[in-house]
Amino acid sequence: MVLDPFTLLVITAALATASALYLASEWNSVRERSLLFWSAGFAVIAVGSALALLRSSGFVFVGIWFSNGLLIVAHALFLAGIAAFRRARLPRAGWWLLAAVWLAMLGLPEGPWWSRAMLGVQSLLVATITLRAGLLLRPQGGGALSVGAAQLRFALLAHGLFYLAKAASAVALDASIHLASFRGVVIQVSLVEGVMAIMLLAMSMTGTERHRREERMARIAARDPLTGLDNRRALYLRAPALLAQASPASPGVLMLMDIDHFKQVNDLHGHDAGDRLLITLSDLIRSTLPSGDLAARLGGDEFVILLRDASPSAAQALGRELREAFAEQASTMFATPEPVSLSIGATLFDQPDAELSHWLKRADEALYASKRQGRDRMEIVVANPAGLPH
């Protein structure tokens, strides 16, 4: 196959159409705005390529700058998609400027001087938009980009640099060499680069959103659907990192708690009332949990809190705050024969090589001690309890 401009335009139109349809189908199931913008961008490229094909065949429906202007619109949509993906806001003034330049291009003559000038302007605008999109994808907060996002950033930056070089060539080449003699080569190189860019951008955009979707699914899988706290699976995945930081000189505290007389709430007021009570407790835990510590729902009305570098007195203070706040809210929500309260059992974890199940067992012993001694209290189990508060 000879890669003449006509053939390359056909390939470009086909690839852009396929990319637009695929990203649109992805958006239909994922509903991420970035996919919608990217799909629209490829659709615009497909329309522009079709108009260029018709023009090359003698069917002149619109001026040449309309189809060239569509290239700017397509890249603006790519930038909008990147901004939506990164949850970033772009200034409106930039969009208005792009719209003004695009509209101005529609009425320009097609003479050699204007053609050269507008080739430079168009290429510079595409380069600016594309490089801005690539820079918007830079890693943030010390974290690394996903493979798809890194590939997308590379494709955008490379594509932007190509158009920057193309903008410079519109002026620089003609200063010493007659540009018209290279017209066919410049067009062909641009179309080849365009085909490659479409393939790279489409694959990278798809990979980027797929990674975002997988991250979201992982977060959903790690959350308790009712309370929004970590579930048992997430607790066992995240706890080892906290446990590994513990030592006898810098112990942490594991707190295991459940709701006293919870069955009465379900029996008298229904399971929806029980769910509301669980949500109330989880909200209290979230509001009092120190930053960087861990809270999870084990199941039923059992909850776990892991505190890093915490003394027994700090754990007692947190437990007291939770018990008092929960008892007050529960008493106003539901009337029960026995008061609805919170029992807590806790243990210090000070051995980095001990597993979570070991400390859960010790906290469970403390919890049952709390239950036996009248409920609505907190008991701490330590290796050497002398001098420590209970």
Side-chain angles (χ1 to χ4, degrees):
M1 180 187 294
V2 179
L3 293 180
D4 56 275
F6 184 89
T7 302
L8 288 168
L9 278 171
V10 171
I11 294 173
T12 301
L15 285 174
T17 301
S19 301
L21 292 173
Y22 180 74
L23 290 169
S25 67
E26 287 284 294
W27 174 82
N28 191 48
S29 59
V30 180
R31 298 291 174 174
E32 284 283 351
R33 283 196 309 152
S34 54
L35 288 169
L36 190 60
F37 283 121
W38 292 336
S39 176
F42 283 119
V44 169
I45 290 176
V47 170
S49 299
L51 289 173
L53 280 169
L54 291 171
R55 184 180 179 83
S56 67
S57 301
F59 299 96
V60 183
F61 295 103
V62 292
I64 189 173
W65 297 121
F66 183 85
S67 53
N68 279 275
L70 288 180
L71 191 62
I72 299 173
V73 174
H75 286 81
L77 288 167
F78 290 159
L79 174 58
I82 297 295
F85 176 78
R86 299 297 277 182
R87 308 290 192 264
R89 285 181 172 271
L90 296 173
R92 291 184 179 180
W95 299 116
W96 285 112
L97 178 60
L98 283 174
V101 172
W102 185 75
L103 289 172
M105 290 175 66
L106 300 183
L108 292 175
E110 298 182 14
W113 189 88
W114 273 113
S115 296
R116 187 165 61 251
M118 291 314 297
L119 173 64
V121 171
Q122 179 213 38
S123 299
L124 186 60
L125 283 173
V126 171
T128 302
I129 296 169
T130 310
L131 291 173
R132 179 72 180 93
L135 294 174
L136 199 59
L137 270 174
R138 65 184 181 277
Q140 295 177 343
L145 292 173
S146 66
V147 174
Q151 290 176 344
L152 179 55
R153 184 170 190 261
F154 171 79
L156 287 167
L157 292 177
H159 188 56
L161 290 174
F162 173 83
Y163 268 90
L164 196 61
K166 187 176 175 181
S169 71
V171 178
L173 281 178
D174 210 43
S176 56
I177 304 173
H178 190 47
L179 186 60
S181 62
F182 287 87
R183 176 179 170 84
V185 175
V186 170
I187 292 175
Q188 193 165 11
V189 170
S190 296
L191 290 172
V192 169
E193 191 277 337
V195 170
M196 294 175 62
I198 286 175
M199 289 190 295
L200 287 173
L201 289 171
M203 289 188 296
S204 301
M205 287 170 178
T206 304
T208 298
E209 273 301 343
R210 185 175 291 119
H211 179 78
R212 169 73 64 81
R213 189 191 319 170
E214 290 170 354
E215 282 186 331
R216 185 166 56 250
M217 291 174 63
R219 285 196 298 269
I220 292 172
R223 293 291 178 187
D224 175 63
L226 177 64
T227 65
L229 294 176
D230 285 348
N231 57 21
R232 178 187 289 268
R233 176 177 176 273
L235 172 67
Y236 275 86
L237 287 174
R238 294 181 59 192
L242 288 179
L243 297 176
Q245 302 175 26
S247 68
S250 179
V253 176
L254 186 151
M255 301 168 62
L256 179 63
M257 60 192 74
D258 76 2
I259 300 174
D260 301 321
H261 306 299
F262 180 67
K263 187 175 183 298
Q264 291 184 12
V265 175
N266 283 330
D267 292 344
L268 295 174
H269 302 281
H271 288 279
D272 286 345
D275 288 347
R276 287 168 56 195
L277 200 61
L278 293 172
I279 293 170
T280 297
L281 177 55
S282 65
D283 290 341
L284 286 172
I285 291 173
R286 255 191 299 268
S287 65
T288 56
L289 189 70
S291 177
D293 293 332
L294 176 60
R297 181 188 178 197
L298 276 184
D301 61 331
E302 281 195 327
F303 294 80
V304 172
I305 291 178
L306 276 174
L307 303 174
R308 300 173 302 162
D309 194 17
S311 64
S313 59
Q316 284 281 15
L318 177 62
R320 187 182 308 111
E321 182 180 358
L322 281 172
R323 287 190 297 104
E324 291 175 355
F326 179 73
E328 180 181 355
Q329 292 198 31
S331 65
T332 61
M333 292 171 67
F334 310 107
T336 54
E338 299 290 340
V340 175
S341 56
L342 198 61
S343 290
I344 304 175
T347 182
L348 268 69
F349 57 88
D350 56 2
Q351 301 171 28
D353 55 341
E355 294 184 355
L356 175 64
S357 56
H358 170 77
W359 303 117
L360 280 173
K361 182 178 179 181
R362 293 187 61 180
D364 191 52
E365 294 170 357
L367 175 61
Y368 277 96
S370 175
K371 294 280 190 182
R372 286 194 302 269
Q373 296 184 40
R375 297 185 173 90
D376 190 20
R377 57 182 290 118
M378 175 173 169
E379 288 292 322
I380 297 182
V381 173
V382 294
N384 181 16
L388 294 177
H390 287 264

